[in-house]
Amino acid sequence: MTSIDLNADLGEGFGRWRLTDDERLLSVVTSANVACGFHAGDAATMRRVCELAAERGVRIGAQVSYRDLAGFGRRAMDVPSAELAAEVAYQIGALEVFARAAGSRVAYVKPHGALYNRVVHDEEQAAAVVDGVLLADASLPVLGLPGSRLLDLAGKAGLPVVTEAFADRAYTDAGTLVPRTRDGAVVTDPEAVVERSSSLARSGEVTSHSGTRIVVRARSLCLHGDTPGAVELARRVRERLETSGIRVEAFT
């Protein structure tokens, strides 16, 4: 039976402000990309999400980012390699404290936003992220875009690599994500997201922004927690996957 992991970005709040419905999403997904305080999240939020994830058997992932609370980690930044590596390790370490306190552990690392897109092509920034993961825990899997410099360098460094696809983001013909500054970058039609999820899981294919059928083979499928109606959408995606004979389970 074909299987796939279902992940979502969680813990994206700060203080009294909450963007993601963490508790309800954690009843659907198998892996949680938890904000580690640099683009969103704070100590109390990280602790709460780790406790909820541990209770439900959901894997906890460190979603590391540029230090950009004001821009939600989606603004381009130039950070020196040594500094970026240290900040990646710092974020993983902070989340690990709360994961262990909840009886779990950080099970993988995934970059967020501008950093995620930057390390698809940028060798130097990708190497810095890999160095940060190695500094924190040399056994941690790295989750990222198929064909990215990040996954290539992570694999060469001995880190487990896991490819992911996005059901609710538009793709270019080259298999990269359409920038959020362009119209149609986010797929908002629920039925389209459900159909794309099923296609990605079954055949590893999806229709690009230009209408071309492209290959995106992935072990994990991401749904953004800040998408309107994210909980119901995640439930529909999981239901479609399971009724199609696809087992939904964590990759680690």
Side-chain angles (χ1 to χ4, degrees), residues 23-234:
E23 186 164 4
R24 291 204 295 161
L25 278 167
L26 283 166
S27 68
V28 183
V29 301
T30 48
S31 295
N33 316 315
V34 184
C36 299
F38 273 39
H39 75 279
D42 54 25
T45 302
M46 285 189 282
R47 181 179 184 182
R48 175 178 55 82
V49 175
C50 284
E51 289 173 346
L52 290 170
E55 288 173 3
R56 291 160 172 76
V58 175
R59 301 297 187 271
I60 297 169
Q63 187 162 42
V64 297
S65 169
Y66 287 126
R67 189 188 292 270
D68 180 28
L69 273 176
F72 197 61
R74 289 178 175 163
R75 297 185 294 189
M77 302 183 75
D78 291 314
V79 181
S81 295
E83 182 178 341
L84 180 57
E87 291 189 338
V88 166
Y90 178 92
Q91 292 174 79
I92 297 168
L95 188 65
E96 178 70 7
V97 168
F98 299 117
R100 287 191 176 275
S104 186
R105 64 183 181 87
V106 171
Y108 64 94
V109 178
K110 173 184 172 178
H112 164 82
L115 182 59
Y116 186 98
N117 291 314
R118 181 77 171 266
V119 297
V120 171
H121 301 295
D122 191 311
E123 184 98 7
E124 184 178 341
Q125 294 283 275
V129 172
V130 170
D131 287 345
V133 177
L134 291 171
L135 182 60
D137 184 342
S139 70
L140 285 174
V142 176
L143 184 62
L145 203 70
S148 65
R149 298 304 302 141
L150 174 65
L151 293 194
D152 180 56
L153 293 175
K156 289 177 179 177
L159 294 168
V161 297
V162 182
T163 54
E164 78 168 333
F166 293 82
D168 54 6
R169 287 295 309 278
Y171 281 86
T172 68
D173 290 349
T176 58
L177 300 179
V178 172
R180 284 180 175 268
T181 53
R182 289 179 54 187
D183 291 340
V186 178
V187 181
T188 56
D189 177 31
E191 190 56 37
V193 174
V194 171
E195 289 297 333
R196 288 162 66 88
S197 300
S198 179
S199 178
L200 284 163
R202 287 186 291 104
S203 65
E205 294 184 350
V206 69
T207 301
S208 73
H209 195 53
S210 72
T212 303
R213 199 71 174 167
I214 61 172
V215 175
V216 183
R217 301 202 183 279
R219 178 66 187 86
S220 185
L221 186 64
C222 179
L223 289 169
H224 285 89
D226 61 340
T227 300
V231 175
E232 182 57 31
L233 185 58

